[in-house]
Amino acid sequence: LGSTSLGAADLVLTVEHAPAFQFGLFFYGAQPGLVFYGEGALCVQGPVFRLYPVVLSGATGEASLALDLSPYPLGSGPGAVGAFETWHFQYWFRDPTYGPSGFNFSDGIQVTFCP
């Protein structure tokens, strides 16, 4: 939700259909990937950067995180997001009832940031 404008700084990552009331976290990396892992597929390759805080999904399985582009890792270091750069985002969540691994992933999303 929101825009990919660094100036607007209003991008919100949202996932739907995760298990209700389960913890998860958003993460991102510079490269796309496809590694079958847990009960799903890891669509982001390294280096991978975790986004905080950990998010608890609601009753409908929706979880959201407003991106704050100023602190580490989004604002500085090797994970710093710049204009005209493309990054890949995904959500990892606990899924205790689906399979033996107890976790799964959302679909991945590719975001190209603009000034």
Side-chain angles (χ1 to χ4, degrees), residues 52-76:
Y52 293 96
V54 171
V55 179
L56 179 65
S57 63
T60 62
E62 183 174 301
S64 295
L65 179 68
L67 291 187
D68 184 350
L69 300 173
S70 55
Y72 179 85
L74 290 164
S76 64

Side-chain angles (χ1 to χ4, degrees), residues 14-62:
T14 301
V15 65
E16 298 175 333
H17 309 295
F21 305 114
Q22 293 295 319
F23 287 104
L25 57 90
F26 289 94
F27 60 97
Y28 71 106
Q31 300 297 321
L34 180 60
V35 176
F36 295 103
Y37 185 53
E39 302 306 322
L42 181 61
C43 298
V44 176
Q45 287 190 341
V48 173
F49 303 95
R50 293 175 63 166
L51 294 171
Y52 293 96
V54 171
V55 179
L56 179 65
S57 63
T60 62
E62 183 174 301

Side-chain angles (χ1 to χ4, degrees), residues 54-102:
V54 171
V55 179
L56 179 65
S57 63
T60 62
E62 183 174 301
S64 295
L65 179 68
L67 291 187
D68 184 350
L69 300 173
S70 55
Y72 179 85
L74 290 164
S76 64
V81 171
F84 309 110
E85 293 180 346
T86 299
W87 292 88
H88 305 271
F89 293 84
Q90 197 168 12
Y91 183 70
W92 169 90
F93 55 90
R94 294 187 185 279
D95 195 359
T97 60
Y98 185 71
S101 67

